[in-house]
Amino acid sequence: MAVNLEYVFRETVSNLKRNVSMASAALLTVAVSLTLVGGALLVKKGVERATVQWRGNVELSIFMKADASQPESEAIDRQLKSMPEVKDYRYVSKPEAFEEFKKIFANEPDVRESLTVEQIPPSYRVVPREAEQTKIVGERFENTAGVFRVSYAKEEVDALVSVTNFLQIMLWGIAAVLLAAASLLILNTIRMAIFARRREVAVMKLVGATNWFIRIPFMLEGLLQGLVGAALAFGVVWIGRDLVQDRVAGARNDIQLFKQFLVTGPDVMTTGFVLLGVGVFVGTIGSALAVRRFLDV
Amino acid sequence: MIRLRDVNKTYKGNVVALRDMSIDIAKQEFVFVVGPTGSGKSTLIRLLIKEEKPDSGRIWVAGKDIGQLSSWKVPLLRRNIGCVFQDFKLLPSKTAYENVAFALEVIGRPPHVIRQQVPQVLDLVGLTKKRDHFPNEMSGGEQQRVSIARAFVNRPLILLADEPTGNLDPSTSVGIMRLLDRINRTGTTVVMSTHDSSIVDTMRRRVVELDRGVLVRDQARGVYGVNA
Ligand SMILES: Nc1ncnc2c1ncn2[C@@H]1O[C@H](COP(=O)(O)OP(=O)(O)OP(=O)(O)O)[C@@H](O)[C@H]1O
Ligand SMILES: [Mg+2]
């Protein structure tokens, strides 16, 4: 069927004009919910990046006894070198470890002064080839002479990941609820618009209009609401990400950890397009559903 | 062109609108449907455009059993039928011109065709001067003529007219009847319901009379009342 574009645009514009307030309510709800969806998506991306870095860095530390002998230490060095599971390892000497220790307790002179270089255990920081091998590698050293303790960073990483996962699930939940609300609002906006014009729709049908002919202007209306709402959300997410990024970049060392969360420009773009897609989908489908019941012959 | 077999239609509350109605109307025929108010004339017309469904019986229009018609084909049926509604059914937010143009927009005619055909038809019903008036700015008779123009603008095979002269003075009625006669002569089948005895009596066409939903008379070159 040939659709007269002029007609479609004329109808769509006049529909939107007729209920500006409902249309903007729907639009804003789409914007808010999609902003949350976008936020959740970016946090997810950030967590993925950070996890890769955490997992890929120090996975376990083999702390030597402070009084471990040179041969004991060398034995461990040799063993690490010979293990195919070990991707990389590094010896952290007593002075290095002491520097680190001082840095961590920079604000607590009591603690800082309570230990001397001699009392700090040196350690081997070991990066296994696969995250799953961490435990196997670690266990091999637990009862070796000169070893004080094997500690797994994996556990801390997992704890962090589970916290961020929980955060993500919450964001998803809120976003889903809001998205449903947005769909319902769009559905209602269109339904009111079409209810106000049900006589007209009936006449259209009686003079031979197809359902698509009647539906298309309403669907276009929903599409526009979804699209503009999504575009707003896109903007907010973009600006929000820049703000966070600037904060982190300008911050002192103690929140360096957060730098690992940073997402790239392309990440934001992809997320934005997902938002636009969802907005368009929700708007179009919402209005198609709203029109349905008025189209029964 | 139109065929009904044993058609029954009862509305909510046991109102019998049509009972065991059977009739054949040939191509290019001109048929008057007469009968007292509430006898089922409008119902007959509504059934033909599938605005209502019969409780039983079968209806063929232009060779198709419209009871078997899938719902997406109903618009196609309606495009072959022009219908002048008893209550006009004009769109209040559109001018006379736009109302007529609408019937063409709906079926996807290109703008240049619309710009050419609408003024022609408005001229035919004598409404050129009122083309930019909205329905509430027109008299009943003028609205009725817009309704006729809309029904006829896409040259349908069948024209159904539900009391198209119901709101018109005698001389305008004569004008409308001339118009319908002309449309009929171009090959369009015309079915018209009316209470206007003088029109029926002067035209001397086929007359079908309904009484409480029952077909009581079917007469070639008939008159309005049997004892007229
Ligand atoms: N939608 C409806 N719901 C219930 N009853 C209806 C409906 N439409 C018509 N009727 C009833 O069906 C019967 C036939 O109505 P119809 O409109 O076909 O009569 P008509 O011959 O066109 O009358 P008129 O000459 O007054 O236009 C009447 O008794 C009417 O009250
Ligand atoms: Mg009637």
Side-chain angles (χ1 to χ4, degrees), chain B residues 4-227:
Chain B
L4 277 77
R5 282 294 173 272
D6 308 317
V7 171
N8 284 284
K9 175 71 191 175
T10 307
Y11 287 108
K12 282 192 292 279
N14 283 336
V15 184
V16 178
L18 284 180
R19 178 172 295 157
D20 290 331
M21 173 95 176
S22 292
I23 191 173
D24 287 276
I25 295 172
K27 211 172 169 178
Q28 298 186 22
E29 244 187 310
F30 193 118
V31 181
F32 286 115
V33 181
V34 301
T37 176
S39 56
K41 303 184 293 297
S42 298
T43 302
L44 173 63
I45 284 169
R46 278 187 221 124
L47 288 173
L48 292 178
I49 58 170
K50 223 179 169 190
E51 188 184 350
E52 295 282 354
K53 289 193 183 75
D55 302 327
S56 64
R58 297 174 76 181
I59 302 172
W60 288 264
V61 173
K64 291 210 178 62
D65 183 342
I66 66 170
Q68 308 284 340
L69 217 55
S70 55
S71 67
W72 68 270
K73 276 186 175 162
V74 173
L76 302 179
L77 165 76
R78 290 176 180 162
R79 289 169 190 195
N80 285 326
I81 305 176
C83 194
V84 183
F85 300 95
Q86 195 167 5
D87 55 357
F88 318 140
K89 294 205 196 297
L90 298 178
L91 299 176
S93 59
K94 293 189 191 298
T95 63
Y97 179 93
E98 288 167 346
N99 263 289
V100 177
F102 184 70
L104 293 176
E105 281 171 346
V106 151
I107 62 174
R109 287 278 182 281
H112 72 268
V113 174
I114 296 177
R115 276 194 291 275
Q116 182 213 335
Q117 290 193 350
V118 176
Q120 270 180 23
V121 177
L122 283 176
D123 187 46
L124 204 65
V125 296
L127 278 180
T128 303
K129 283 208 196 90
K130 303 275 176 168
R131 53 171 281 167
D132 293 324
H133 287 231
F134 288 95
N136 64 353
E137 299 167 345
M138 286 186 280
S139 71
E142 285 160 352
Q143 292 180 50
Q144 193 134 42
R145 280 183 280 158
V146 177
S147 175
I148 293 170
R150 182 182 63 187
F152 182 61
V153 71
N154 63 345
R155 317 283 148 155
L157 291 172
I158 300 169
L159 188 71
L160 306 175
D162 201 355
E163 300 194 29
T165 59
N167 296 278
L168 305 180
D169 61 78
S171 73
T172 317
S173 296
V174 169
I176 291 295
M177 288 321 296
R178 284 220 188 89
L179 178 60
L180 289 180
D181 191 41
R182 189 130 51 98
I183 290 170
N184 177 235
R185 280 176 210 284
T186 63
T188 303
T189 310
V190 179
V191 177
M192 165 175 164
S193 84
T194 185
H195 288 296
D196 193 327
S197 58
S198 64
I199 285 176
V200 179
D201 293 346
T202 47
M203 295 275 290
R204 303 300 297 220
R205 298 298 187 98
R206 182 176 171 190
V207 175
V208 170
E209 185 176 342
L210 299 178
D211 186 16
R212 277 162 290 178
V214 180
L215 196 159
V216 292
R217 175 163 62 110
D218 186 350
Q219 186 179 24
R221 289 195 303 285
V223 290
Y224 185 77
V226 249
N227 18 348

Side-chain angles (χ1 to χ4, degrees), chain A residues 190-206:
Chain A
I190 306 281
R191 190 170 281 170
M192 293 209 10
I194 199 169
F195 184 76
R197 302 181 54 209
R198 62 195 182 286
R199 251 182 62 95
E200 222 170 314
V201 170
V203 174
M204 289 182 188
K205 292 227 66 175
L206 287 180

